[in-house]
Amino acid sequence: MSSNSDPSTLIPPDAIETPAAIVDLGQARRNAVRARSELASHGLEWRPHVKTHKSRTLARIQLDTGVAGLTVATLHEAEVMATLGADLLLAHPPVGPAKGRRLTDFLRHHPLSVGLDSKASLDTTAEAARNAEREVPILVEVDVGMGRVGLGSSEEVVALAREAGEGQWTEFAGLLFYPGHIRVPAEEQGGELERVSRRLTRVLEALGAAGLPARIVSGGSTPTLWQSHRIEGVTEIRAGTCIFHDRDTVAMGVARPDEVAYRILTTVVSTAVSGQAVVDAGSKALAKEEFRSGGRGYGVVRDRPEVTVRAVSEEHGILDLTGTSWRPRVGDRVELVPNHVCVSVNLQDRLLAEEAGGFRPVPIEGRGRVA
Ligand SMILES: Cc1ncc(COP(=O)(O)O)c(C=O)c1O
C-alpha cells in the first residue's frame, strides 16, 4: 500500500507515490544544533515550537540538543509530546469547558506551563489545575506589535499576573510574546527589535514594581532567530520553523537554500499548455499560503529559484516556465519548497526521511485534534 507509515519499512524511490513530503533528518539535526548553540552562546534557552513538525522523531532531535523543553499549540500536541518526558509550554490560550476538561485530564498525568492573556483563559486553566491538583505556571502574553493576541498595557499585564500569582493552583511565572510581525531580513530588523525591547522593559519594570518578578520571558521566532539576543529581557526562544526552513525563511536570509530540510516530491502530469508544467501537488500538499517576503506564487522548485509555483488548485500545481529554458517532461519528478513549511507538514499523512537505498516513513503523531 502506498500510504505505508511503518517506520521500519524502507521504501524504494520508485515505489514512492507523489506528492510526498521528503525530509532530510541530517539537515534537520544540523539546523537544530545550530539554533541551540547560537542561542546558548548568548545565554538563551531554546524551547522549539513543535507545530512545525508535530512529530516525535523531530522532537527527539531537538531534545537531544539539550533544549529547555518544547512548545505546543494544541492539547493533542501536548499529549503526544508528553510521552517524551519533555517540559512543555502551551503557547495558545485554553478557553471553555471542553478544553478545560481535556486540560484537566492532561494535568492529572503531566506538568504544563500555559500562556494566556485573559481572565477567561486563566479561569479555565485554574479550574483544570484545581481539578487535577497540580500547580500550573502561567505566562501572561504581551502584544509586542503583531496585534494578534497579548495584552496591550502594563497595567493589564500586572493585573492578570497578580491574579495568576494569587490563585491556589496557578503561579505567575513570567511573560510570553511572539514577534510575528517582524518578517524582514536581519539587517532591517533593528528598529522593530528595539521597539519590542522597550515594550518588554516597560512591562518588566511594572511587574517588578508590583512585586511580581518574571522568572521566564518566552519569545522569539524564526525570522528573528539570529537576532534573538537583541531583545532585552528575553530568556527563551520558541522558534519552530527553523528545524526545516522554507521559501519564506530563505527569502528573509535566515537560512541558505541548502539548509532547507523539507520538500514536496511531485510528478509532472501535464505540459499541454505552453509556458507551464503542471505537477500533482496543489493546495492539498503544498498549502496555499501567500509568499510573505515579496514576490509571487505558492512555492519554488528546489535548485531552480527562477521557477515558481504560479497557481495551485487542490491537486494541481502550475509551474511558471516563462523565466527559464528548462522544459520538464510529463513523468519527470520535481521537488518543490513550500512558502510556509508548517502548514504543508500539517497536510501530510506521514513524512519520508531520505536514506541510502530509499525512504523511511516518519509519523506525524501530533497532527489533528483527537488522540
Ligand atoms: C506563539 C508562537 N510561538 C512561537 C512560534 C514559532 O515561530 P516560527 O514559526 O517563526 O518559528 C509561533 C509560530 O507561529 C507562534 O505562533
Side-chain angles (χ1 to χ4, degrees), residues 46-52 71-73 89-92 141 146 148-149 176-180 182-183 218-225 237-243 246 249 252 292 340-342:
W46 185 30
R47 184 181 289 276
H49 204 316
V50 305
K51 52 104 195 185
T52 301
T71 306
V72 298
L89 164 65
L90 177 64
H92 196 284
E141 183 146 11
M146 187 184 184
R148 182 175 69 176
V149 288
L176 185 137
F177 69 94
Y178 178 55
I182 306 180
R183 304 199 57 85
S218 175
S221 66
T222 295
T224 60
L225 180 58
I237 298 299
R238 297 189 312 278
T241 303
C242 58
I243 186 84
D246 53 25
T249 63
M252 287 182 277
R292 291 180 286 183
H340 184 182
V341 64
C342 313

Side-chain angles (χ1 to χ4, degrees), residues 32-52:
V33 167
R34 179 172 174 211
R36 161 84 172 120
S37 60
E38 293 244 357
L39 291 173
S41 74
H42 294 289
L44 293 171
E45 298 281 2
W46 185 30
R47 184 181 289 276
H49 204 316
V50 305
K51 52 104 195 185
T52 301

Side-chain angles (χ1 to χ4, degrees), residues 6-326:
D6 179 358
S8 64
T9 313
L10 190 66
I11 309 173
D14 59 2
I16 301 292
E17 186 184 328
T18 60
I22 310 294
V23 289
D24 179 339
L25 291 183
Q27 185 59 49
R29 194 169 287 112
R30 286 191 288 282
N31 292 344
V33 167
R34 179 172 174 211
R36 161 84 172 120
S37 60
E38 293 244 357
L39 291 173
S41 74
H42 294 289
L44 293 171
E45 298 281 2
W46 185 30
R47 184 181 289 276
H49 204 316
V50 305
K51 52 104 195 185
T52 301
H53 54 72
K54 295 176 180 263
S55 162
R56 285 195 194 106
T57 305
L58 275 302
R60 267 189 216 103
I61 287 175
Q62 292 168 322
L63 289 168
D64 284 350
T65 69
V67 298
L70 302 173
T71 306
V72 298
T74 69
L75 286 170
H76 182 48
E77 289 172 5
E79 288 155 4
V80 165
M81 297 305 161
T83 62
L84 300 176
D87 183 81
L88 299 179
L89 164 65
L90 177 64
H92 196 284
V95 174
K99 287 251 171 69
R101 279 191 291 276
R102 193 163 179 179
L103 186 55
T104 303
D105 286 346
F106 183 88
L107 291 171
R108 286 204 169 105
H109 301 102
H110 309 282
L112 183 72
S113 302
V114 174
L116 47 78
D117 70 356
S118 71
K119 162 114 177 68
S121 185
L122 180 59
D123 287 347
T124 299
T125 307
E127 193 185 334
R130 184 169 52 248
N131 292 340
E133 298 189 11
R134 186 189 295 278
E135 186 173 79
V136 174
I138 301 292
L139 302 185
V140 174
E141 183 146 11
V142 182
D143 178 21
V144 292
M146 187 184 184
R148 182 175 69 176
V149 288
L151 293 169
S153 77
S154 300
E155 293 73 29
E156 290 173 303
V157 174
V158 169
L160 197 58
R162 179 169 289 127
E163 190 152 354
E166 287 170 355
Q168 194 191 345
W169 292 101
T170 53
E171 174 223 350
F172 171 64
L175 299 178
L176 185 137
F177 69 94
Y178 178 55
H181 58 299
I182 306 180
R183 304 199 57 85
V184 291
E187 56 279 12
E188 296 165 35
Q189 293 177 3
E192 268 308 329
L193 291 172
E194 263 171 45
R195 270 188 285 281
V196 170
S197 294
R198 279 202 298 274
R199 170 100 189 86
L200 285 174
T201 303
R202 274 199 304 275
V203 176
L204 289 168
E205 282 171 1
L207 285 166
L212 294 161
R215 179 164 54 81
I216 299 165
V217 179
S218 175
S221 66
T222 295
T224 60
L225 180 58
W226 311 129
Q227 311 298 316
S228 298
H229 52 283
R230 295 173 67 180
I231 305 174
E232 268 171 55
V234 71
T235 62
E236 66 171 35
I237 298 299
R238 297 189 312 278
T241 303
C242 58
I243 186 84
F244 288 148
H245 289 295
D246 53 25
R247 184 182 177 209
D248 247 323
T249 63
V250 169
M252 287 182 277
V254 190
R256 297 187 311 266
D258 60 292
E259 289 174 313
V260 177
Y262 178 93
R263 56 205 195 256
I264 299 289
L265 180 67
T266 71
T267 302
V268 176
V269 294
S270 173
T271 55
V273 176
S274 72
Q276 67 181 41
V278 180
V279 295
D280 56 0
S283 62
K284 288 183 172 170
L286 266 185
K288 196 171 181 177
E289 288 269 308
E290 64 176 311
F291 185 47
R292 291 180 286 183
S293 306
R296 300 219 183 117
Y298 300 102
V300 67
V301 173
R302 186 170 176 243
D303 299 330
R304 290 187 188 277
E306 74 282 11
V307 184
T308 58
V309 183
R310 178 170 58 75
V312 285
S313 35
E314 290 177 47
E315 303 288 356
H316 301 77
I318 302 186
L319 306 185
D320 183 351
L321 301 183
T322 54
T324 177
S325 57
W326 176 60

